[in-house]
Amino acid sequence: MNTPPALIASDLDRTLIYSTAALALTAPDAEAPRLLCVEVYNGKPLSYVTEAAAAILEELARTAAFMPVTTRTREQYRRIQLPCPPPPYAICANGGHLLVDGESDPDWQTAVAARLADECASLAEVRGHMLAAADPAWLLKERVAEDLFAYLVVERSLLPEGWVTDLAAWADARGWTVSLQGRKVYAVPKPLTKSAAVREVARRTGARTVLAAGDSLLDADLLLAADRAWRPGHGELADTGWAAANVEVLAARGVVAGEEILRRFLAAAAAEGADPARP
C-alpha cells in the first residue's frame, strides 16, 4: 500500500451523516438540498447525507485515506452504507475496535483489553453504580456497548441538576469519564479513546498528517490529536464553546455542515499531496 500523505479520520453521526431529527435544514422546503439515505434501521430510513456530500465523499475516498471513527458498535456501524468504496480501516466503539477490511483486529483488541484491566475500574463496577444512582422516573434505557463502556438513555428534562456532575466525579477517581450528550449519559474508560486508535492506524499506514472532524465531547481527544481538524456549528462541543488552536470552527449547522467538512477534507488532502516541500 502506498503511504498516504494524509489520514482523514472523521466521526460519523452529526458530523458526516444525519438523522431526520438532526438535519437542521433552514432553507425553504423548495430549496432544501437533495438527500441520500445511507442507513436503514428496522426497515425505515434513518441517516442521510446530501447528494453533494455523497459526490465529495466518493472523490475523497478515491484520492485520500478516509477512515470513519465512531462511538457506534460494530453492528451499528455496519448498517451504514457510505457512498464510497468500503474504507480499509474503520474505528468503532470509541476506539475499542479497529476494523481492517471490515474485521476487528485481534492485536488491537488485546492491547485495549490490557490497558483497561491495568488503568481503570471494571465495567461491571461502573455500570452497577450508574444503575444504582439512576431513578426509574427519568431512566428510559441502559445499554452496554461491546462490553467496553455503558450509557443511559434519559428523559433529560427530568434529570436532577448536579446528577451528572456527581457521577463524573465518582467515575473520574476510577479512571472513567462521564458525559451528557443529547439524551445519553455515557460512561467511558479513560484509556478507551478514538485518538489512540487513530494513532495506531497512522503508524501502520505511515500517514504523515492526520485530518479530523467531530461534533461531540467524545470527539475532543480525536480533534486535539489531529494536525488539522474541524467541528460544525452544532453539537456538544459547540454548545460548550470548546475550541483548540488546531481546530477550525465552522458556522454551518446540520446536514450542510457535513458537506462543508468534506469540502475542507478534500482541499486539505489535496494540498498535502501537492506540497513539494514534503518528502
Side-chain angles (χ1 to χ4, degrees):
M1 180 183 294
N2 294 330
T3 299
L7 175 64
I8 298 168
S10 181
D11 176 51
L12 292 177
D13 292 282
R14 299 187 72 199
T15 298
L16 292 190
I17 69 173
Y18 291 79
S19 67
T20 302
L23 291 175
L25 294 173
T26 57
D29 290 348
E31 300 173 15
R34 286 166 58 95
L35 300 175
L36 175 68
C37 178
V38 295
E39 181 185 15
V40 173
Y41 181 56
N42 288 336
K44 297 180 180 179
L46 182 60
S47 299
Y48 302 85
V49 297
T50 68
E51 286 191 349
I56 300 168
L57 180 56
E58 184 177 10
E59 182 179 358
L60 184 66
R62 284 191 287 102
T63 59
F66 169 71
M67 178 175 65
V69 183
T70 180
T71 304
R72 285 182 176 227
T73 65
R74 288 170 290 174
E75 179 182 359
Q76 292 167 337
Y77 168 70
R78 287 168 179 148
R79 293 199 306 255
I80 301 171
Q81 302 295 319
L82 293 172
C84 64
Y89 291 99
I91 293 166
C92 294
N94 210 63
H97 286 280
L98 195 169
L99 305 189
V100 182
D101 294 327
E103 299 299 324
S104 187
D105 184 272
D107 292 338
W108 182 251
Q109 286 186 55
T110 299
V112 168
R115 285 201 301 273
L116 297 185
D118 291 343
E119 300 176 25
C120 58
S122 70
L123 171 63
E125 179 183 351
V126 174
R127 180 191 181 197
H129 180 84
M130 288 178 71
L131 290 175
D135 189 331
W138 46 258
L139 176 61
L140 303 178
K141 301 176 186 175
E142 70 94 10
R143 295 287 186 269
V144 169
E146 299 270 21
D147 291 325
L148 291 169
F149 62 91
Y151 62 92
L152 308 179
V153 181
V154 302
E155 185 60 61
R156 187 160 176 166
S157 63
L158 300 178
L159 195 64
E161 184 177 355
W163 189 88
V164 173
T165 301
D166 291 344
L167 177 63
W170 179 91
D172 182 69
R174 290 157 179 81
W176 287 63
T177 61
V178 168
S179 60
L180 174 62
Q181 304 189 44
R183 296 194 307 155
K184 294 179 180 179
V185 179
Y186 285 93
V188 179
K190 290 182 182 180
L192 190 69
T193 63
K194 293 180 176 182
S195 60
V198 169
R199 281 193 291 268
E200 173 63 13
V201 175
R203 183 191 69 80
R204 294 187 187 192
T205 62
R208 62 196 184 202
T209 300
V210 174
L211 309 175
D215 72 292
S216 78
L217 296 171
L218 290 173
D219 294 319
D221 73 285
L222 168 65
L223 303 186
L224 288 172
D227 295 283
R228 293 184 65 188
W230 294 265
R231 73 159 174 83
H234 63 256
E236 290 81 21
L237 294 179
D239 291 345
T240 58
W242 186 92
N246 65 316
V247 179
E248 184 176 350
V249 176
L250 303 179
R253 299 170 58 87
V255 70
V256 295
E259 193 176 305
E260 180 62 22
I261 286 168
L262 286 166
R263 288 196 184 95
R264 301 299 178 101
F265 278 152
L266 189 61
E272 286 291 323
D275 188 348
R278 290 183 177 272

